[in-house]
Amino acid sequence: MDDTSKQDSTHSIDRRSFIASSLAAGVALRSGKAEAQAARPSSRPNIIIYLADQFRADFVGANGQNPSTRTPNLDAMAARGTNFTGAICNQPVCSPSRSILMTGRYATETGVWHNARPIDPSLPTLAGELRKAGYSANLIGKWHLAPSTEAEGGGRGYVKPEQRGGFLDMWEGANEFEWTTHPYEGTIYDADGKEITFKDEYRVDFVTDRAERFLRQKHDKPFLLYVSQLEPHFQNVEHGTGHFVGPKGSAERFANPFVPNDLKSLPGNWQQELPDYYGCCEAIDKSVGHLMKVLEEEKLANNTIVLFTSDHGCHFMTRNEEYKRSPHNASIRIPLIVQGPGFNNAMRLDEVIGNINVMPTLLEAAGLPVPSSVKGKSFMPLMTKPEARSAWPNRELVQISESMTARALRTKDWTYCVLDVEGRREQEFAQKYVEYQMYSQAADPFEQVNLAGRKEFRAQAAELREELKQMMQAAGEPPAEIVPVTHYP
């Protein structure tokens, strides 16, 4: 080869090298830009958790069990998104259930195994994890995860920043909302403790107005917004159990409504309280519809996950001396409807899902890692992977406090509950339990016949007993003895 040929060959090789290196650089640059864009907080979905306190799952019309309920907006949400009809709470009382929702841990692990206890500040929370990824974390309404007395460093109203579980951006709430407000007047507090008052406006509408105000603001980062309504929870009173207060005229509009089958054969106060409860649920539905409209108007709807749920249900004093704190479906079944990116599947799933699984699910939906300490599991695979549905355990541990120290196992087929053998109510754990209640979900979904102690079900009870003991230990509880009951109560 002559010098000219060598030179041309060298130039050709150089040109090829340059083109190749340029292409590689371009790919790397584009890849880098793509990675940077993917990592940018603004590319992540906004998240709204809308929690309606003490809202029964069967009071959502889309769940097809209640002809009197009026929830067209929740029904539309269920039609667009995914309706998890087998959802339950892992502790049927306000503070413990909320602590589970925020941490993906059991109530005995969060420190909030009883109402009005502060959440363990060392635990990762949904708000904290999202803020680390560039989100703002914002709350409007009820918190109930700070100490309830000034002697403990807390109170019913203002909540100190270190007690907010990571909600360190906009804060407009009260620790015990049911005591600082009433249905048509009250006070909440901003991040600095300044009072925000309302009067002559229904409480649901007031909270909705504050949420709309937030959504219409300019947002330069993705947001988590926790809209925590009190309704349909009863209004607390100083003495007694409290009463439900719907918008004015509710009692007349919902007179003689449908009575759920789990209530109608049992004594309780549902006869007096159901009409206003229906009114409260209708007000919540209108609120949800209004905020959905705001999302559309602000062009936020396509990139916002909206999750509607409750912290527990309501049995209207049919199972114990108040409204919840029992293992029955009326207490533990909750609505769980999700729409938005990753959830718009027009799908209904009936797997048994505890609210312990909400926190890791939302982190996965946002493309974020789940802390290794979290006990809950994301249920996102249930929507896309048939093998995930077949492998889903369909069993949840329910811890019960205040009315009794009890533990329950809820599966698709059974509810199995054990009670502290000494009958104590204010214990975090018990060392010894006795079988207390057992219901067949297939044969008796309204839980009218307690099978605990029936001879023909002892083999099934023994199997459930061992499963429950294993789940209790997996939740970090000390080993406990469960005594079989041998008589039919």
Side-chain angles (χ1 to χ4, degrees):
M1 184 181 292
D2 60 24
D3 290 343
T4 302
S5 299
K6 287 180 180 177
Q7 190 174 23
D8 289 342
S9 176
T10 301
H11 286 166
S12 178
I13 293 170
D14 289 342
R15 282 195 300 273
R16 288 196 300 271
S17 299
F18 173 76
I19 291 169
S21 62
S22 296
L23 286 171
V27 169
L29 182 61
R30 287 193 299 273
S31 176
K33 284 182 178 177
E35 288 176 5
Q37 189 173 25
R40 263 200 337 235
S42 59
S43 67
R44 301 193 188 279
N46 305 309
I47 298 172
I48 297 175
I49 297 176
Y50 192 116
L51 190 148
D53 198 325
Q54 203 161 300
F55 198 116
R56 284 174 60 116
D58 58 345
F59 274 60
V60 174
N63 290 340
Q65 299 171 333
N66 192 323
S68 288
T69 197
R70 299 173 191 169
T71 57
N73 297 294
L74 290 173
D75 299 346
M77 186 177 167
R80 282 190 298 270
T82 306
N83 185 6
F84 298 91
T85 58
I88 68 166
C89 62
N90 295 92
Q91 229 281 26
V93 68
C94 298
S95 296
S97 183
R98 291 159 186 266
S99 75
I100 294 166
L101 183 74
M102 291 297 155
T103 64
R105 301 286 291 269
Y106 291 100
T108 48
E109 298 177 303
T110 66
V112 193
W113 57 271
H114 190 289
N115 257 345
R117 291 176 59 89
I119 194 168
D120 182 346
S122 71
L123 293 179
T125 64
L126 177 63
E129 294 302 300
L130 289 173
R131 286 190 93 247
K132 287 195 297 187
Y135 279 71
S136 69
N138 313 276
L139 174 142
I140 300 171
K142 176 176 174 174
W143 179 233
H144 216 183
L145 288 173
S148 62
T149 66
E150 292 182 8
E152 297 172 301
R156 287 178 167 172
Y158 176 66
V159 177
K160 298 174 183 176
E162 64 270 20
Q163 297 171 343
R164 295 178 192 164
F167 285 94
L168 297 177
D169 295 288
M170 189 197 71
W171 177 277
E172 294 185 354
N175 187 36
E176 296 188 7
F177 198 39
E178 53 268 68
W179 292 107
T180 69
T181 66
H182 293 84
Y184 281 91
E185 59 84 21
T187 301
I188 60 175
Y189 302 83
D190 72 9
D192 298 319
K194 182 180 177 181
E195 292 186 354
I196 303 171
T197 61
F198 68 100
K199 189 173 183 180
D200 299 326
E201 182 180 19
Y202 191 54
R203 179 167 43 203
V204 170
D205 299 332
F206 166 71
V207 171
T208 306
D209 291 345
R210 303 306 296 187
E212 176 181 357
R213 180 173 172 271
F214 171 83
L215 292 173
R216 293 200 187 278
Q217 294 172 1
K218 178 176 171 52
H219 300 282
D220 58 2
K221 58 174 68 175
F223 59 79
L224 166 65
L225 174 62
Y226 180 27
V227 181
S228 181
Q229 295 274 16
L230 182 65
E231 274 70 23
H233 190 287
F234 55 91
Q235 179 61 51
N236 289 65
V237 294
E238 291 298 336
H239 303 287
T241 57
H243 298 283
F244 300 92
V245 183
K248 292 173 182 176
S250 294
E252 292 76 22
R253 288 188 302 106
F254 288 99
N256 300 312
F258 171 78
V259 181
N261 287 319
D262 64 294
L263 303 180
K264 63 173 57 175
S265 65
L266 299 174
N269 68 355
W270 51 266
Q271 297 91 339
Q272 309 95 271
E273 302 296 341
L274 270 177
D276 272 286
Y277 186 87
Y278 274 104
C280 291
C281 293
E282 183 183 45
I284 290 293
D285 180 79
K286 288 180 178 178
S287 168
V288 170
H290 185 77
L291 294 184
M292 292 297 187
K293 184 172 182 287
V294 173
L295 289 175
E296 291 287 350
E297 292 171 352
E298 296 297 320
K299 297 180 170 46
L300 294 169
N302 290 340
N303 195 41
T304 300
I305 295 169
V306 182
L307 184 149
F308 177 82
T309 192
S310 185
D311 48 358
H312 51 78
C314 183
H315 61 65
F316 294 94
M317 302 180 72
T318 56
R319 305 295 184 166
N320 56 34
E321 58 191 11
E322 42 88 54
Y323 291 110
K324 54 236 181 194
R325 299 178 178 92
S326 85
H328 302 89
N329 286 330
S331 284
I332 66 173
R333 281 196 63 221
I334 55 174
L336 181 58
I337 306 171
V338 196
Q339 74 165 56
F343 295 94
N344 286 341
N345 305 301
M347 182 180 290
R348 174 175 173 146
L349 296 173
D350 65 356
E351 278 74 17
V352 178
I353 294 173
N355 64 344
I356 195 171
N357 301 304
V358 168
M359 182 259 208
T361 300
L362 291 177
L363 289 179
E364 181 179 342
L368 298 174
V370 178
S372 59
S373 61
V374 169
K375 292 283 178 69
K377 303 295 181 186
S378 170
F379 48 76
M380 286 200 75
L382 294 177
M383 296 178 288
T384 57
K385 299 176 181 178
E387 64 274 17
R389 295 190 66 185
S390 61
W392 191 257
N394 281 306
R395 59 198 64 243
E396 290 288 345
L397 171 66
V398 179
Q399 299 174 322
I400 302 170
S401 65
E402 300 187 20
S403 63
M404 54 186 175
T405 302
R407 297 294 182 264
L409 173 64
R410 177 63 158 80
T411 74
K412 271 195 170 184
D413 297 323
W414 298 97
T415 294
Y416 174 80
C417 180
V418 300
L419 173 70
D420 174 25
V421 74
E422 295 183 20
R424 294 170 296 182
R425 298 163 58 134
E426 300 293 325
Q427 301 295 117
E428 183 176 3
F429 307 104
Q431 294 180 324
K432 189 174 183 179
Y433 297 87
V434 63
E435 289 177 336
Y436 177 51
Q437 291 169 327
M438 180 175 170
Y439 298 100
S440 168
Q441 293 300 322
D444 182 22
F446 305 117
E447 299 169 325
Q448 301 294 295
V449 182
N450 181 9
L451 301 175
R454 289 292 293 257
K455 181 179 179 180
E456 58 269 41
F457 292 101
R458 283 181 190 161
Q460 183 63 58
E463 182 180 326
L464 293 168
R465 181 165 60 248
E466 292 307 310
E467 288 186 41
L468 177 57
K469 287 166 69 175
Q470 291 172 18
M471 294 195 75
M472 289 162 61
Q473 290 193 53
E477 298 190 23
E481 180 184 358
I482 298 177
V483 179
V485 64
T486 56
H487 66 281
Y488 181 58

